Amino acid sequence: MAASMPANVEVQFINESKGRGLFARQEIKEGEAILDEKPLVSTQFLWNELYKYTACEYCLRSLETAEAMARRLTNNPALSLPHPECCALDPSEFVVCPQCQVLYCSEECRKASWDRYHQILCLGSSHHDSDHPLLRLQEIWRNIHYPPETASIMLICKMIAMVKQAEDPGHVITIFNKFVNNTVNEEEQIAHKLLGDQFKCQLELLRSTTAEILFDESIPQWFTPEGFQSLFALIGTNGQGIGSCSISVWVKNCEDLELPEDKKTELDDFIDQMYEELEKESGSFLNCEGSGLYELTSSCNHSCDPNAGITFPHNNHVLTLVALKPIQPEEEIYISYISECEMSRSRHSRQKILRENYLFTCRCRKCDFEADEPDVTSEEEMDSGDEDGSEKMDNL
């Protein structure tokens, strides 16, 4: 279950305040894949699932054809994509759980899910019963955590189910305990933004409902108010966003086609027009999105000027860490914990996001270089406003 360490990197302990870091053991060239990693656990976001983004329950592979996804997201049922051979889906390989009809991309994923956690979480014949406790928990989550989601209560449920199903629960608990799960950075007096008094009732409802369904005597500490808050902080500070998309796979495969120049131009124009329609109808909400816990990649510390980036080139939950710059032996490997859009904001805005979500004040080279800039929040953040945060859990 634990991730194997590639030969080109190693995890080192840095100090008490910074914790661990991922370091290069050999020279890594720009554009080179540093490692591939499967998550210990992953899950699709519940709003994505409700909006009919069909994905494999285990690996999050997008299970709509590119054409079906494009028709749904452009709201154009007559849309026809050229070169259907570039859609790499084979529905004949799809399987369902015979008890609850949950969909998987393959028998391999169905078995992996069943062996790890699904025996506990399978709804059986109650998969359409809205009163089932697990479906009720999911509805509670959706009612208090609106899109864009950055985590899911199902990630916590799957963690608990993995412990309950494990032959050696202590081993699974030890692996999850490796993740940083502080709810408060006492040294800097920073608390996770979801753990304030305004969310007390919401967290208690989630905790009590989760305990009603999944309480286990081997991990009673996870079901106390403090322990449940710690789980929230764990998935909030360590959860890695995952995106899969049949349209993206189709576009990439189209780019590799050997076509006459005029046909290539015609195809490029079609793709550009399709993306304009997708943007107009669905905005940036295009992927089958979810979240996962990655043991090795979670060792990477943040920088606002990272030397590595995370990609999902396999249309599933397998993460690839790619060098954005040449990396020398013994050099620490940094990623960005915030989005590309957030990276373009002011130093003050970036640090506000990082303090609220990851419980630290960034002191990377970029932040140090911009230290003399005024502490003014970026205009785009002021426009989006923070006033709605007191009513719902917008982001972890």
Side-chain angles (χ1 to χ4, degrees):
M1 178 179 167
S4 58
M5 185 71 67
N8 60 342
V9 296
E10 64 180 351
V11 176
Q12 297 179 15
F13 178 77
I14 301 172
N15 53 48
E16 289 294 339
S17 61
K18 197 172 182 181
R20 302 176 301 163
L22 190 68
F23 289 79
R25 297 185 65 184
Q26 60 194 47
E27 182 180 358
I28 301 173
K29 297 179 181 178
E30 180 178 348
E32 183 178 340
I34 300 170
L35 59 85
D36 286 340
E37 184 176 9
K38 292 182 178 180
L40 297 172
V41 60
S42 64
T43 191
Q44 186 182 13
F45 290 146
L46 290 172
W47 278 103
N48 258 247
E49 184 179 343
L50 189 69
Y51 287 158
K52 302 187 185 307
Y53 285 75
T54 308
C56 174
E57 189 277 331
Y58 181 74
C59 78
L60 305 192
R61 182 184 300 277
S62 176
L63 298 186
E64 283 181 290
T65 65
E67 185 171 87
M69 179 178 274
R71 285 176 173 178
R72 178 171 57 81
L73 294 175
T74 60
N75 197 25
N76 179 4
L79 180 64
S80 178
L81 300 190
H83 302 287
E85 71 277 10
C86 290
C87 182
L89 278 180
D90 183 1
S92 68
E93 296 180 354
F94 300 171
V95 297
V96 297
C97 170
Q99 282 78 33
C100 69
Q101 307 303 305
V102 164
L103 185 62
Y104 297 94
C105 69
S106 64
E107 176 61 23
E108 180 183 2
C109 279
R110 187 205 65 78
K111 186 176 186 305
S113 173
W114 183 258
D115 290 344
R116 288 200 170 199
Y117 54 76
H118 192 64
Q119 295 175 49
I120 298 294
L121 299 178
C122 182
L123 295 172
S125 60
S126 302
H127 57 282
H128 290 309
D129 181 3
S130 59
D131 290 332
H132 188 284
L134 188 58
L135 295 178
R136 183 158 45 87
L137 177 65
Q138 294 176 5
E139 185 62 22
I140 291 170
W141 175 264
R142 282 192 291 262
N143 285 337
I144 63 180
H145 196 313
Y146 300 115
E149 289 177 273
T150 53
S152 172
I153 190 63
M154 290 306 297
L155 203 56
I156 291 177
C157 290
K158 287 184 177 182
M159 291 168 62
I160 297 169
M162 287 173 68
V163 174
K164 292 172 75 71
Q165 279 193 212
E167 292 183 5
D168 182 0
H171 175 66
V172 180
I173 295 168
T174 298
I175 291 175
F176 284 132
N177 283 343
K178 291 179 182 179
F179 290 93
V180 176
N181 62 353
N182 295 330
T183 60
V184 177
N185 181 334
E186 294 182 355
E187 180 181 342
E188 300 192 29
Q189 296 184 326
I190 304 170
H192 199 285
K193 72 175 187 178
L194 269 189
L195 302 178
D197 289 340
Q198 67 269 39
F199 300 127
K200 188 174 181 179
C201 293
Q202 298 169 338
L203 282 168
E204 176 55 26
L205 180 59
L206 287 169
R207 185 199 68 81
S208 61
T209 307
T210 304
E212 173 190 342
I213 306 166
L214 295 171
F215 182 82
D216 190 82
E217 292 183 354
S218 65
I219 43 173
Q221 69 277 14
W222 285 11
F223 298 95
T224 66
E226 296 78 12
F228 196 72
Q229 287 186 9
S230 185
L231 285 180
F232 251 81
L234 186 154
I235 66 170
T237 56
N238 295 279
Q240 169 63 51
I242 300 168
S244 65
C245 181
S246 295
I247 295 173
S248 297
V249 175
W250 175 81
V251 170
K252 183 179 184 302
N253 289 338
C254 283
E255 291 172 352
D256 295 334
L257 291 173
E258 294 184 6
L259 298 172
E261 193 61 35
D262 59 333
K263 295 295 183 182
K264 186 72 171 175
T265 300
E266 182 181 335
L267 180 58
D268 289 344
D269 290 344
F270 176 89
I271 291 172
D272 289 343
Q273 178 62 35
M274 179 187 68
Y275 272 118
E276 286 182 17
E277 293 177 16
L278 288 167
E279 177 70 25
K280 180 179 179 180
E281 188 67 27
S282 299
S284 59
F285 198 50
L286 300 181
N287 295 336
C288 295
E289 295 184 329
S291 180
L293 295 176
Y294 295 80
E295 185 179 358
L296 289 180
T297 310
S298 72
S299 301
C300 291
N301 286 306
H302 166 84
S303 172
C304 296
D305 183 24
N307 56 12
I310 289 171
T311 64
F312 292 90
H314 308 292
N315 192 32
N316 61 15
H317 66 190
V318 176
L319 172 157
T320 299
L321 186 65
V322 178
L324 301 178
K325 305 174 183 179
I327 302 173
Q328 301 305 313
E330 299 303 316
E331 184 179 351
E332 185 171 1
I333 297 169
Y334 291 99
I335 61 174
S336 172
Y337 292 177
I338 57 180
S339 70
E340 188 173 340
C341 177
E342 291 167 337
M343 288 273 285
S344 66
R345 296 182 177 184
S346 69
R347 174 180 180 270
H348 181 68
S349 294
R350 298 195 309 270
Q351 296 210 342
K352 181 177 184 291
I353 295 166
L354 291 165
R355 280 195 302 270
E356 290 182 343
N357 291 279
Y358 299 99
L359 306 182
F360 71 92
T361 299
C362 184
R363 297 182 175 89
C364 69
R365 284 182 293 185
K366 182 175 180 179
C367 285
D368 285 347
F369 181 77
E370 297 173 354
D372 292 335
E373 292 185 0
D375 285 342
V376 177
T377 305
S378 295
E379 192 171 296
E380 62 268 32
E381 182 175 323
M382 294 176 67
D383 288 343
S384 66
D386 295 325
E387 64 275 6
D388 56 355
S390 62
E391 297 299 326
K392 59 182 182 294
M393 298 180 175
D394 283 311
N395 294 288
L396 277 174

